[in-house]
Amino acid sequence: MPIKLINFEIKGDERGKLIALEENKNIPFEIKRVYYIYGTESGVRRGFHSHKKIEQVLICTSGSCKILLDDGHSKENIELNSPHQGLIITKDIWHEMYDFSPNCVLTVLANQHYDESDYIRNYADFLAYISQNK
Ligand code: TYD
């Protein structure tokens, strides 16, 4: 499974760094929602779902965390530890987030509003859904 990473251009100068995120430019969709996960307790693993339509870009704007990606055929693990890197998670990818550093802020941009009916939260249902929708 190819891991889809975006390297954001850093607008750095002698004062420090700045990154701008723009829909349909360096973010490959219309940005309908932004949320962030922070203050994650040590040892917590979260996510455990796939989406039917929602696509997202995950950016570890502070600290680090790891992401498990699973397309039903193969699994990949990736560490996000840089505010200038974005991980694209398309629909039909089971994902879990873990090993959050205490200072981790995981910022997520999504192409749709929050919609619980877009989630598949059971792994067996995920495998059945992707085999039906091939
Ligand atoms: P949840 O889906 O359990 O988080 P994760 O998949 O990262 O483990 O979300 C936690 C709560 O936040 C849950 O009650 C749903 C709610 N929520 C929203 O209201 N809006 C959102 O955009 C998201 C992502 C979650």
Side-chain angles (χ1 to χ4, degrees):
M1 179 195 0
I3 290 182
K4 297 176 183 162
L5 284 170
I6 314 170
N7 280 306
F8 302 120
E9 186 188 343
I10 302 169
K11 316 277 183 182
D13 60 26
E14 66 287 350
R15 298 168 299 169
K17 298 182 173 72
L18 182 153
I19 288 175
L21 306 174
E22 296 187 273
E23 68 177 9
N24 296 323
K25 290 194 168 177
N26 57 356
I27 298 298
F29 50 67
E30 189 184 359
I31 301 167
K32 286 271 188 69
R33 175 165 55 107
V34 177
Y35 62 95
Y36 31 91
I37 294 169
Y38 65 101
T40 309
E41 297 293 335
S42 160
V44 163
R45 201 170 173 102
R46 58 185 301 167
F48 297 97
H49 63 258
S50 67
H51 286 289
K52 297 176 191 165
K53 293 202 180 101
I54 292 173
E55 308 218 318
Q56 306 190 97
V57 172
L58 279 62
I59 305 158
C60 207
T61 36
S62 169
S64 65
C65 66
K66 292 181 184 149
I67 317 288
L68 163 78
L69 302 169
D70 178 349
D71 65 1
H73 303 285
S74 63
K75 299 180 204 290
E76 298 281 354
N77 289 273
I78 180 164
E79 178 169 308
L80 294 181
N81 54 20
S82 163
H84 61 80
Q85 203 163 53
L87 173 68
I88 301 174
I89 302 187
T90 55
K91 64 189 177 77
D92 296 341
I93 301 289
W94 182 266
H95 51 283
E96 299 170 17
M97 295 87 89
Y98 62 103
D99 274 5
F100 289 84
S101 64
N103 61 341
C104 180
V105 180
L106 183 62
T107 302
V108 183
L109 312 181
N111 68 343
Q112 310 225 0
H113 293 140
Y114 176 71
D115 174 10
E116 187 59 36
S117 71
D118 194 75
Y119 283 68
I120 300 175
R121 293 192 182 268
N122 174 285
Y123 189 71
D125 293 347
F126 161 68
L127 292 178
Y129 182 83
I130 56 169
S131 67
Q132 283 159 16
N133 290 278
K134 262 198 283 221

